[in-house]
């Protein structure tokens, strides 16, 4: 059964030996973040629940998704590609002809309805509702690095509604606290929340927003997933959970949030109130410089009586976001293969902060196919922001950096096999791009070259061992004294 709340997930982590309770008093100003980073850099350390946070009566949960095992527990799967396969199955549903085929389709249609979110009257999130006295500074928001501009909400799930279609989006954007009623919404221009904001700005007036701090794991992870355009993120959460999410209406804005959330901030983002946000120590390992972003104004706060504050820290890889990114990568491989059938495997190495580099293996059938895949992927959703693509043959393991480097150095002629695209969109956080949001792309075709692709010299053959010799050595391996 899927987890209904963050609390249920915490219990499961504790039972699995994946949680450490810290009873020593800790400070949300730099101390908590440094503890979390040290644990993540040490690898395979537990999630941490800070039970005594100086100045606050709310415990703080960190590194909640900081290992592959924890994410498998969170989503109830061993292979994250199962999630992507569910989406692909939905896209392949067609209206059946004939009564018998329609009857056979009923179980599938019923399964789809099971994924849909359901609005209920109330839930634990409505145990405490504050409007006039709602206060952003009443929460244990973290300051992560010395030169950060202040304290930030780092793992808030921001809910917006498309002003025209009504489709809801969930996104994780950092939020800088200004005072008890105001914060800055760092939604990058390429993100869907920012798109909703821009559309609303054209019609005039602020856009309503709800920020969820702590929910069931599937809803949190759905927020960071690049789902197909037009798909409601709460519906996608249901696909991940294999069960629809229960939602309740907010108290001061016309939005819905999970009934079992921990904390929800309600308010609006005003396009007429821009302020300088940052600096902030980000997942590239550099401070993001100050930029103007719109102001969030708090109108209400809902929370459980015994709420837990969920947070994360970013910085030079590899930290918690690397493991979350791996789930996204594995989950969406089936969708990539639906759009680009020649793709065999795909990875975005964590050290490249995901948007920096992707390695793709393909089953090559015709000359120039690697470049076709590059162009197709650069035109697909958030992959448009990926700076470097390396395309290799299907016999290369994209997860083995040694094999990838070997392919690049033995199958690439720099002049013939590299593509540079100028004036292309880049990740806002890319510290190397010459302009914010605009730079260049590099495509490297590391596939074996054919005559039609300009390889005119004699084709060199791979040096491989014959099967007979392999069998002899396999048979005598223990006799040699090896184990």
């Amino acid at each position: 059964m899927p987890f209904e709340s963050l609390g249920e997930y915490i219990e499961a982590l504790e039972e699995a030996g994946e949680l450490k309770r810290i009873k020593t008093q800790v400070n949300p100003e730099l101390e908590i973040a440094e503890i979390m980073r040290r644990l993540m850099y040490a690898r395979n350390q537990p999630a941490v629940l800070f039970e005594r946070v100086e100045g606050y009566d709310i415990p703080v949960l960190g590194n909640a998704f900081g290992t592959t095992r924890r994410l498998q527990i969170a989503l109830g799967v061993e292979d994250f590609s199962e999630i992507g396969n569910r989406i692909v199955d939905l896209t392949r549903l067609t209206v059946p002809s004939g009564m018998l085929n329609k009857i056979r389709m009923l179980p599938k249609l019923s399964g789809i309805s099971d994924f849909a979110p359901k609005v209920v009257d109330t839930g634990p999130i409505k145990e405490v509702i504050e409007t006039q006295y709602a206060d952003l500074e009443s929460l244990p928001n973290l300051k992560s690095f010395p030169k950060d501009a202040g304290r930030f909400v780092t793992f808030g799930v921001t809910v917006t509604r498309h002003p025209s279609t009504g489709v809801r989006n969930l996104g994780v954007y950092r939020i800088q606290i200004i005072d008890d009623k105001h914060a800055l919404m760092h939604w990058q221009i390429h993100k869907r929340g920012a798109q909703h904001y821009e559309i609303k700005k054209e019609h005039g007036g602020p856009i309503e927003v709800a920020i969820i701090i702590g929910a069931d794991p599937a809803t949190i992870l759905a927020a960071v997933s690049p789902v197909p355009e037009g798909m409601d993120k709460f519906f996608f959460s249901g696909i991940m959970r294999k069960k629809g999410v229960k939602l309740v209406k907010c108290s001061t804005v016309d939005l819905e949030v999970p009934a079992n959330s921990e904390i929800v901030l309600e308010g609006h983002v005003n396009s007429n109130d821009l302020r300088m946000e940052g600096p902030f120590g980000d997942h590239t390992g550099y401070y993001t410089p100050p930029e103007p972003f719109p102001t969030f104004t708090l109108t209400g706060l809902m929370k459980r009586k015994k709420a837990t504050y969920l947070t994360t820290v970013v910085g030079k890889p590899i930290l918690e976001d690397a493991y979350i990114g791996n789930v996204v990568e594995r989950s969406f491989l089936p969708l990539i293969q639906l759009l680009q059938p020649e793709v065999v495997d795909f990875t975005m190495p964590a050290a490249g902060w995901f948007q920096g580099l992707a390695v793709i293996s393909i089953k090559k059938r015709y000359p120039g196919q690697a470049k076709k895949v590059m162009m197709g992927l650069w035109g697909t959703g958030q992959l448009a922001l990926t700076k470097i693509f390396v395309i290799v043959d299907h016999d290369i393991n994209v997860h083995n950096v040694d094999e990838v480097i070997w392919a690049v150095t033995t199958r690439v002629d720099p002049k013939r096999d590299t593509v540079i695209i100028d004036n292309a969109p880049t990740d806002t956080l890319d510290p190397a791009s010459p302009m914010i949001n605009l730079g260049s792309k590099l495509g490297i075709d590391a596939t074996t070259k054919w005559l039609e692709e300009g390889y005119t010299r004699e084709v060199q053959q791979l040096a491989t061992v014959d099967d007979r010799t392999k069998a002899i050595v396999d048979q005598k391996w223990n006799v040699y004294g090896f184990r």
Side-chain angles (χ1 to χ4, degrees), residues 29-57:
E29 187 101 1
L30 301 177
E31 184 180 358
I32 288 179
E34 176 61 9
I35 294 169
M36 290 169 61
R37 283 193 299 268
R38 288 192 187 188
L39 289 170
M40 285 304 308
Y41 286 137
R43 305 287 180 91
N44 296 316
Q45 297 298 309
V48 280
L49 185 63
F50 301 96
E51 296 186 333
R52 293 179 57 210
V53 181
E54 186 177 331
Y56 303 90
D57 59 0

Side-chain angles (χ1 to χ4, degrees), residues 29-217:
E29 187 101 1
L30 301 177
E31 184 180 358
I32 288 179
E34 176 61 9
I35 294 169
M36 290 169 61
R37 283 193 299 268
R38 288 192 187 188
L39 289 170
M40 285 304 308
Y41 286 137
R43 305 287 180 91
N44 296 316
Q45 297 298 309
V48 280
L49 185 63
F50 301 96
E51 296 186 333
R52 293 179 57 210
V53 181
E54 186 177 331
Y56 303 90
D57 59 0
I58 301 174
V60 171
L61 177 66
N63 296 354
F65 306 107
T67 64
T68 300
R69 180 62 190 141
R70 289 206 281 279
L71 284 157
Q72 289 170 332
I73 293 170
L75 296 173
V77 296
E78 293 294 317
D79 182 358
F80 301 120
S81 64
E82 286 181 28
I83 297 165
N85 285 325
R86 289 175 209 153
I87 303 175
V88 171
D89 288 344
L90 289 176
T91 65
R92 288 174 174 160
L93 286 180
T94 55
V95 178
S97 59
M99 182 58 69
L100 183 59
N101 287 332
K102 287 179 180 177
I103 292 172
R104 287 173 177 164
M105 179 63 77
L106 287 177
K108 287 188 176 181
L109 295 176
S110 174
I112 294 173
S113 67
D114 290 342
F115 298 155
K118 300 167 181 64
V119 177
V120 296
D121 292 333
T122 191
I125 188 58
K126 292 205 165 187
E127 289 174 350
V128 177
I129 299 177
E130 300 172 353
T131 52
Q132 183 180 353
Y133 297 106
D135 183 354
L136 292 169
E137 295 178 329
S138 68
L139 303 175
N141 308 302
L142 301 193
K143 182 174 182 178
S144 299
F145 287 101
K147 293 183 180 179
D148 284 355
R151 295 193 183 188
F152 289 77
V153 177
T154 57
F155 217 163
V157 174
T158 298
V159 186
T160 55
R161 193 190 305 276
H162 192 292
S164 302
T165 66
V167 173
R168 290 167 298 206
N169 183 62
L170 308 176
V172 175
Y173 320 112
R174 72 175 188 248
I175 299 162
Q176 181 183 329
I177 306 301
I178 301 300
D179 55 38
D180 61 336
K181 297 292 184 186
H182 300 95
L184 297 178
M185 183 66 71
H186 187 275
W187 43 30
Q188 299 165 35
I189 193 170
H190 309 104
K191 306 297 184 181
R192 210 162 289 173
Q195 179 194 28
H196 292 182
Y197 160 76
E198 292 292 340
I199 294 171
K200 182 65 177 176
K201 185 167 70 172
E202 290 175 5
H203 293 84
I207 186 169
E208 292 185 321
V209 165
I211 302 162
I212 306 158
I213 305 177
D216 66 275

Side-chain angles (χ1 to χ4, degrees), residues 33-34 36-43 144-145 148 280-288 312-323 349-354 429 431:
E34 176 61 9
M36 290 169 61
R37 283 193 299 268
R38 288 192 187 188
L39 289 170
M40 285 304 308
Y41 286 137
R43 305 287 180 91
S144 299
F145 287 101
D148 284 355
F280 177 77
D282 224 314
H283 67 259
T284 60
Y286 290 88
Y287 283 101
T288 304
T312 190
V313 290
V314 292
K316 186 178 179 180
I318 296 174
L319 293 171
E320 182 180 19
D321 56 327
Y323 294 91
W353 44 278
F354 292 95
L429 305 180

Side-chain angles (χ1 to χ4, degrees), residues 71 224 320-331 348 354:
L71 284 157
V224 299
E320 182 180 19
D321 56 327
Y323 294 91
I324 296 171
N326 182 249
V327 172
V328 173
E329 169 196 300
R330 294 292 91 195
S331 297
M348 302 182 84
F354 292 95

Side-chain angles (χ1 to χ4, degrees), residues 308-381:
T308 298
Y309 183 99
L310 177 67
T311 192
T312 190
V313 290
V314 292
K316 186 178 179 180
I318 296 174
L319 293 171
E320 182 180 19
D321 56 327
Y323 294 91
I324 296 171
N326 182 249
V327 172
V328 173
E329 169 196 300
R330 294 292 91 195
S331 297
F332 282 83
L333 175 60
L335 268 179
I336 289 171
Q337 291 169 327
L338 181 68
L339 299 171
Q340 304 282 342
E342 58 269 75
V343 171
V344 174
D345 206 352
F346 173 90
T347 187
M348 302 182 84
W353 44 278
F354 292 95
Q355 295 288 37
L357 171 69
V359 184
I360 306 104
S361 61
I362 65 170
K363 184 71 172 178
K364 186 172 173 179
R365 295 187 300 105
Y366 53 82
Q369 193 168 7
K371 292 184 175 65
K372 173 261 186 189
V373 171
M374 291 177 199
M375 301 308 170
L377 294 179
W378 271 323
T380 304

